[in-house]
Structure formats: C-alpha cells, structure tokens
Amino acid sequence: MARRPKSGNRRELSMQYISTRGGIDPIPFTEAVMMGLATDGGLLLPRAIPRIGTTTYEEWQGLSYPELAFEVMSRFIDDIPEAELRNIIARSYATFDTDQIAPLVHKEGLHIMELFHGPTLAFKDIALQFLGNVFEYLLEKQDSVMNILGATSGDTGSAAIYGVRGKERINIFILHPEGRVSQVQQKQMTTVTDANVFNIAIRGTFDDGQAIVKSIFNDLGFKDAKHLGAINSINWARVLAQVVYYVYACLHISKHEKDKATNFAVPTGNFGDIFAGYIAKQMLPEGSIHKLLLATNANDILTRMVHDGDYSLASVIPTSSPSMDIQSASNFERYLYYLLDEEPARCKQAMEQFEENGKLDLSDFKNQIQRSFAAEVATEEDVLNTIAHFHKEHGYILDPHTAVGIHCALKHQKEGVPICCLATAHPGKFGETVEMAIGKSFELPGSIRALLDKESRCELMDADEQQIRDFIQKHARHS
Ligand SMILES: *Cc1c(COP(=O)(O)O)cnc(C)c1O
C-alpha cells in the first residue's frame, strides 16, 4: 500500500483524483477507474504526483516486472488492499510470453524495449490486461456488471477483448470498420468466441463507429441502465500501467550507463503512452529521464506543437502506422493541465477554445514544452528505409510504428545520452508493410499463424445507431 504519513488528516493525505476541468470533488483511484472520462468532460489526474527518493529508487533495482509494478502502482492506489493489488498485477502479466514482460534489446546504440509480448502483440496489452482485471475485481466487490462498448481501428479492440474475455460480470461490444482493419487484427478480434464477446463489423469507417459509440454514451439514461463502460485510452488505469515500464527501463539502462539521464523515443498517437513517460519523469529522482521524444507519422499535430507551439488540427492522413493516424490526441488535455500550472479553470477554457476552433496557440509555452519534449516526424519512406536497414544490418524486424520511433531516435542520437525506443507492436501484426520494406516474407509468430484456422464470430451491420443499440439491448449483461 502507498505509504501514508502516520499522523495527519487522512482525507487530505490519501491518493485522490481530480479533473483537469475542476468540476468534480476529489475521488479515490477505484472511482476514477469506473468513471473513465470525468463527469465534467475533463480527464482524471492524481491530485499530486508521488515522488520517489533516490534510496527507494535504488532499492527497486533488481525487482521483477510484477514486483516493480506493485511498487509503482501502489503509490497511486490506496483503496485496493495490498494482497488484492498484487494478485491483479500477477494475473495481468502471467499472460505474457516472457517473464521479463518488457525485455530490452540493444541495436545501433539504441535500447529497444519490446512491449509486444502480451496476447495481442501490441503494447496496449500492458494496460488492458490490467484494466480488465481491475474491472473484474471492482464489479465483484460491488456486486455489479458492466457492458463495455468501444470502437476500434484495430489494436485497442483486440487488446480490450483479450483483457476481458471470459469474465463473469462483463460483456464487451467492439465495433470495427468492415474490411478496414488488417487481416491479423480482424482475426485476433473475431476468433475470440467466449460468450461475453461481441464483435460488430460495421459497413463504414472507424469515424462512423466512433460517432455511434459517442452518441450512445451521451444518452445518459441508456448508459446508466446498461452499465456501459469505456476502455479507451483516457482511463487513468491505462496511463498508470504504462508508467511502470518507463521506470523498469530506467532501472535497467542505468545498470549499463551509470548516472546518465535516459531519453525515450515514443511512437505517438493519442498521447497516452508518452504522457505516462511524463508522469514517470515527474515521479523519479531528478536526472532519471532526460527528454521524451515524441515520434509522429505524417499526422504531425503534436510535432508542430513541440516545435512551434502550434496545436491545430489537420485532416487525418492514412499511413502504414494506422494506430498513430490521429489528430486530436485524447490524452493531450492532461499535459495541458500541467502546462497551465495545474489551474483547472485555464485548462477548461483552453480546451473549450480548442473544441470550438480546432486550434490552440501555445507559442508562449515553447520553452517550457521543450524542457520536457523533443519531437520528430517520420515519412512513409523513412519508415520503409528504417525497417529495411534494421533487417539488413541487425537481422531485426521492426513494425511500422516502432520504425517511426527508431527513425526519430536515430536523428536525435547523441554521444553519451542513452535513448530507449519503445517497440509498440510485433512486426507480424503489420506484415504487408514489413514485407514491402524487406522485400520478402518472414516467419510469423505461432500465435498469429494459429489464428488463421480458428473459428470466428462477428456480426455485420450498417453504420446505424439504432441497429447497434438494439443489439446491445438484446445482449447486454444484467445485474
Ligand atoms: C496505440 C498505438 C500507438 C500510439 O499510442 P498512444 O498512446 O495512442 O500515443 C503506437 N503504436 C501502436 C502499435 C499502437 O497500437
């Protein structure tokens, strides 16, 4: 459990969560997880980020991944008993194919942290395995049920389905655009035939699916009656689970490169992963994390933000790293809150302005932003070249998202500053681009090959809200 000072006002000192827009009373961790998006439209954040002293940090050296996860998470959670939290963490990472959970490899002077050893071969498993088990624990305790509803362009849907498959009190409904997700992604989702999993392919785009989901969530009567739950990347539990591997990386890298602050290169879409790095940077002793290098594809709003303070929407350009084809990064508001001196009124005003005009001028904050972040863009050609180069020189195959990060890291590489690149997906998930880059086919992992022969189950529907509602109505779990 989080160490609480022995005396003093407990309510003041325990870990509480607030909204970036200031419209809710402080709540404990478990309520924040169940709330997802704050009820005032903002995002939830810990009232204060716990700080880790050097002595504690050094004691963490040598902990296993689950042990470290407990140490980090328990500083943000004080309303789940220690034994339960340890159990949730142990079960969440027992599904990974290596005890190291997030192994590091070393190529071309870079530290590459492989975050794709979970059941769906992308880094989203690290958070969604945990979130699924937290939901299960809380629903059991509250004797309640949940119907999860989400739209996916590929990776989130499969990771969420694997996070809750077979769970007693949860049904999950995932919408994906028919024919617009990769074959592997489609198979990963639809071959999970547990009775609580409902895949819906819609005749339309990801945006159509997302709009339907949003509209259903906005019907608060339906949302309450059906106990609808969300799994998107704004859930604080997802960010928290991702803080762990930044700490794990720093501890491992500092064994090889003593007393040097580490840079992280992070392939970025919704700003969730890199924001977890920002939390880790605040939490760890000064000089543990140097800079967070924000790596984007052609959808470069965040790069423009870091370079010029220009946070303005453009239209979404499809690329070979589809999980990063995002303009409006749903976690950005969390960073904005810190940028605006943790003043919720300013954050609310800025977000309302952004929602109205599609842009924010942050040029006055450029220096402040650049103290924590650097940014770089990788073109489609850069991605293919980077994959080809790593294959030729190191016999190591990168997925296109990871290649965006590696390309940007190589541009920023400096003598004496370690860089850790987050490898966010297994290349087998994006085989077509990879084969195009390396000029031949490559061996797919057994778990992907096995998918092809599995039975699959999926409903096909028009992008019609009423049809989807009727379907949920019929198949929702009731308490
Ligand atoms: C989701 C995803 C990303 C982007 O992560 P964000 O947290 O949205 O910034 C990058 N790579 C892969 C493979 C992903 O699935």
Side-chain angles (χ1 to χ4, degrees), residues 64-86:
S64 70
Y65 191 96
E67 286 166 345
L68 181 69
F70 173 78
E71 292 301 329
V72 171
M73 289 178 176
S74 61
R75 274 144 179 99
F76 292 86
I77 303 174
D78 58 8
D79 57 343
I80 299 180
E82 169 170 344
E84 299 285 359
L85 183 58
R86 284 192 191 275

Side-chain angles (χ1 to χ4, degrees), residues 65 72 80 127 134 164 255 281 306 328 426:
Y65 191 96
V72 171
I80 299 180
V134 172
V164 303
K255 274 194 290 194
K281 183 170 157 65
V306 173
S328 186
H426 189 286

Side-chain angles (χ1 to χ4, degrees), residues 60-321:
W60 286 355
Q61 196 65 257
L63 293 184
S64 70
Y65 191 96
E67 286 166 345
L68 181 69
F70 173 78
E71 292 301 329
V72 171
M73 289 178 176
S74 61
R75 274 144 179 99
F76 292 86
I77 303 174
D78 58 8
D79 57 343
I80 299 180
E82 169 170 344
E84 299 285 359
L85 183 58
R86 284 192 191 275
N87 181 268
I88 289 169
I89 292 169
R91 285 187 292 118
S92 302
Y93 299 110
T95 55
F96 281 57
D97 70 8
T98 158
D99 289 344
Q100 296 174 66
I101 312 301
L104 279 159
V105 299
H106 310 279
K107 312 271 174 210
E108 207 143 319
L110 303 171
H111 304 276
I112 301 174
M113 180 164 245
E114 295 183 346
L115 298 173
F116 51 72
H117 289 272
T120 72
L121 309 178
F123 88 101
K124 291 185 171 71
D125 287 326
I126 294 200
L128 282 164
Q129 288 286 306
F130 175 69
L131 183 61
N133 288 319
V134 172
F135 278 154
E136 179 181 52
Y137 164 76
L138 293 176
L139 293 171
E140 186 71 44
K141 232 178 75 172
Q142 298 165 1
D143 190 18
S144 185
V145 298
M146 179 183 271
N147 290 290
I148 292 174
L149 172 62
T152 185
S153 58
D155 285 343
T156 305
S158 48
I161 287 170
Y162 274 79
V164 303
R165 64 181 298 180
K167 294 210 185 301
E168 282 268 324
R169 293 166 178 274
I170 304 176
N171 281 3
I172 182 165
F173 299 83
I174 294 290
L175 277 51
H176 71 263
E178 187 208 6
R180 296 184 201 229
V181 297
S182 81
Q183 200 201 355
V184 172
Q185 289 172 328
Q186 195 246 349
K187 279 276 178 190
Q188 272 183 337
M189 291 189 279
T190 60
T191 56
V192 180
T193 52
D194 298 68
N196 71 330
V197 174
F198 298 90
N199 277 289
I200 303 171
I202 57 162
R203 297 187 185 94
T205 62
F206 165 68
D207 289 336
D208 295 333
Q210 182 80 336
I212 291 172
V213 167
K214 270 193 185 159
S215 168
I216 294 179
F217 271 106
N218 281 335
D219 179 349
L220 297 181
F222 190 79
K223 181 176 173 225
D224 280 353
K226 297 293 158 219
H227 300 275
L228 292 189
I231 35 75
N232 40 18
S233 75
I234 49 92
N235 196 302
W236 169 256
R238 287 187 60 178
V239 176
L240 177 57
Q242 293 171 194
V243 172
V244 175
Y245 53 73
Y246 283 90
V247 181
Y248 193 64
C250 286
L251 287 164
H252 279 258
I253 291 168
S254 67
K255 274 194 290 194
H256 303 281
E257 316 213 33
K258 271 238 157 307
D259 301 325
K260 288 182 193 157
T262 302
N263 283 330
F264 280 88
V266 188
T268 296
N270 263 320
F271 203 79
D273 199 2
I274 199 161
F275 181 74
Y278 181 75
I279 296 284
K281 183 170 157 65
Q282 313 302 308
M283 179 183 171
L284 293 178
E286 187 77 30
S288 303
I289 296 180
H290 182 230
K291 275 198 185 165
L292 299 160
L293 172 58
L294 204 155
T296 57
N297 61 28
N299 298 287
D300 65 347
I301 175 171
L302 290 164
T303 298
R304 286 184 277 117
M305 185 276 294
V306 173
H307 289 172
D308 310 313
D310 167 25
Y311 189 65
S312 58
L313 289 178
S315 47
V316 176
I317 303 166
T319 72
S320 59
S321 42

